[in-house]
Amino acid sequence: KDKGWLFDVDVYRGLINALPCATVIEWIKANGIEAARRVARHVPKPHLDASGNPIVEPLTEFVLSTFGSDEKVFNAFYAGVHSLQLYSGDIAAEHEMEAAVARNFRAHPLAVIRKWAKLEEESSLYQAKSWREEREERKIE
């Protein structure tokens, strides 16, 4: 309990992914919404498979389908998607790629995933525009 705050400032996706999904789900079921709030930041983020199909991993789907209507769970998930992510090269293009990935989830069966996709796409496009404007203002090639 005295170290739980660390889960709110760092990303432990590797730790969560190393545990069996069923074990994490059972722990969340046993400990309720507070457990979901702690784990939501660290669940696998939605992504595309090698064929370009949208994938929401089972743990992410469980957390969001069961507790995603809770504002703290959703905010933790949303904050964790890009937390501590580094960008390099054409940062605007990287944000545009994130928007393109999110667009693939706009028709997902889970409303909370659609909500994430809309916010992700809008935020990514805004970030891309901001980076392009900054490059232009600074005359960066």
Side-chain angles (χ1 to χ4, degrees):
K1 289 186 176 190
D2 57 330
K3 299 284 185 186
W5 63 270
L6 291 170
F7 264 60
D8 296 333
V9 295
D10 209 341
V11 178
Y12 295 100
R13 195 171 285 119
L15 171 64
I16 298 300
N17 288 335
L19 299 168
C21 181
T23 301
V24 178
I25 288 173
E26 288 306 313
W27 180 79
I28 294 169
K29 285 179 180 178
N31 292 282
I33 197 158
E34 286 303 321
R37 288 173 177 165
R38 290 288 184 207
V39 171
R41 180 180 176 88
H42 314 285
V43 298
K45 59 186 175 182
H47 62 278
L48 304 179
D49 68 12
S51 300
N53 300 308
I55 302 295
V56 176
E57 298 293 339
L59 178 58
T60 305
E61 186 169 342
F62 169 76
V63 169
L64 294 179
S65 66
T66 308
F67 301 101
S69 61
D70 178 76
E71 186 176 339
K72 289 181 181 180
V73 169
F74 181 80
N75 289 344
F77 165 72
Y78 189 75
V81 169
H82 296 293
S83 184
L84 302 178
Q85 180 174 334
L86 299 176
Y87 295 89
S88 64
D90 187 346
I91 296 171
E94 288 190 40
H95 285 295
E96 289 169 342
M97 288 296 297
E98 291 169 349
V101 168
R103 206 169 291 122
N104 287 278
F105 292 88
R106 294 289 298 265
H108 193 275
L110 287 178
V112 68
I113 293 292
R114 293 192 305 270
K115 176 182 176 181
W116 164 80
K118 181 180 184 299
L119 293 171
E120 175 76 356
E121 183 178 6
E122 290 171 355
S123 174
S124 296
L125 291 174
Y126 175 81
Q127 290 294 326
K129 181 178 180 255
S130 295
W131 278 100
R132 290 201 192 290
E133 288 172 355
E134 184 165 335
R135 285 185 70 182
E136 186 176 304
E137 287 173 11
R138 293 179 183 224
K139 310 238 184 285
I140 300 172
E141 294 293 321

